[in-house]
Amino acid sequence: MILIEDSITNDVHQNCVNELDKKISEDCWQSSSVNWDAGTRQGIVGSCIFTSTSDNIQKLLEKELKSSLPECRELICKYYIWQPHSGIAWHNDEASNRLFGATLYLNEEWYPNNGGWFIWEDDDGYHTILPKKKLLVINDNYQNHCVTPVSIDFRCTIQIWGNG
């Protein structure tokens, strides 16, 4: 895993948050309970909802993160709202034509008792991080990872996939 703090400017972060706030009331959301396979939902009782970013936000992120992300032919960016009891079971982001997966954290603050911890495993063992505003986590080696269930509040992220 590659961790990059302050990966985007405050202006780009605010643009993302503003768009997410507008999209909340739109009829454009999908649910992990319906769209994710049984393996990634194992042990998770809540639902995460997600929708695509606008082309404008996608372009801002591509420009802002170009030097941080591995090279790819196509970026896919989606807003995720991790509702209470949502999370994701152990998985590695590997998919046909996918070169990497990444998470960009949007919440201004996130508290340890809110759940939603990101855990991954590598040769050195297990590692855990708490979501932090503008932190970018890049999984470029298909490392196993999970998100513990959110207990309260909404954990907001942009999930980014790079396709070859």
Side-chain angles (χ1 to χ4, degrees):
M1 292 291 168
I2 301 168
L3 280 65
I4 302 171
E5 293 199 28
D6 293 317
S7 63
I8 58 175
T9 63
N10 287 330
D11 285 344
V12 170
H13 175 265
Q14 194 59 54
N15 283 327
C16 293
V17 170
N18 290 345
E19 181 176 82
L20 177 58
D21 287 344
K22 288 178 188 170
K23 282 186 171 266
I24 286 173
S25 61
E26 293 179 10
D27 184 17
C28 61
W29 295 90
Q30 294 180 295
S31 168
S32 61
S33 297
V34 176
N35 296 94
W36 290 359
D37 65 64
T40 54
R41 292 183 284 115
Q42 185 177 8
I44 304 296
V45 297
S47 182
C48 173
I49 58 173
F50 52 95
T51 191
S52 296
T53 64
S54 67
D55 290 342
N56 181 51
I57 291 295
Q58 171 123 359
K59 287 175 185 164
L60 285 174
L61 290 171
E62 286 176 1
K63 181 179 177 186
E64 195 89 356
L65 298 173
K66 185 176 184 172
S67 64
S68 300
L69 294 172
E71 271 193 51
C72 65
R73 197 170 336 136
E74 173 191 39
L75 273 187
I76 297 170
C77 300
K78 293 183 181 260
Y79 291 110
Y80 275 56
I81 298 178
W82 304 79
Q83 302 173 102
H85 307 289
S86 70
I88 190 166
W90 286 95
H91 67 288
N92 65 13
D93 286 343
E94 191 169 0
S96 176
N97 204 31
R98 184 176 295 161
L99 301 175
F100 67 88
T103 300
L104 176 62
Y105 296 100
L106 298 178
N107 292 81
E108 287 290 325
E109 294 181 295
W110 194 256
Y111 302 100
N113 286 337
N114 288 13
W117 288 82
F118 181 84
I119 304 171
W120 77 95
E121 181 182 17
D122 63 20
D123 293 339
D124 296 325
Y126 292 95
H127 310 274
T128 305
I129 58 168
L130 188 65
K132 183 178 179 184
K133 176 183 170 182
K134 300 190 309 182
L135 175 65
L136 179 68
V137 177
I138 304 168
N139 184 7
D140 63 341
N141 288 316
Y142 306 117
Q143 289 174 297
N144 282 321
H145 60 284
C146 72
V147 173
T148 65
V150 172
S151 60
I152 58 171
D153 213 346
F154 296 115
R155 180 183 184 267
C156 299
T157 65
I158 294 178
Q159 300 303 127
I160 303 168
W161 291 275
N163 292 334

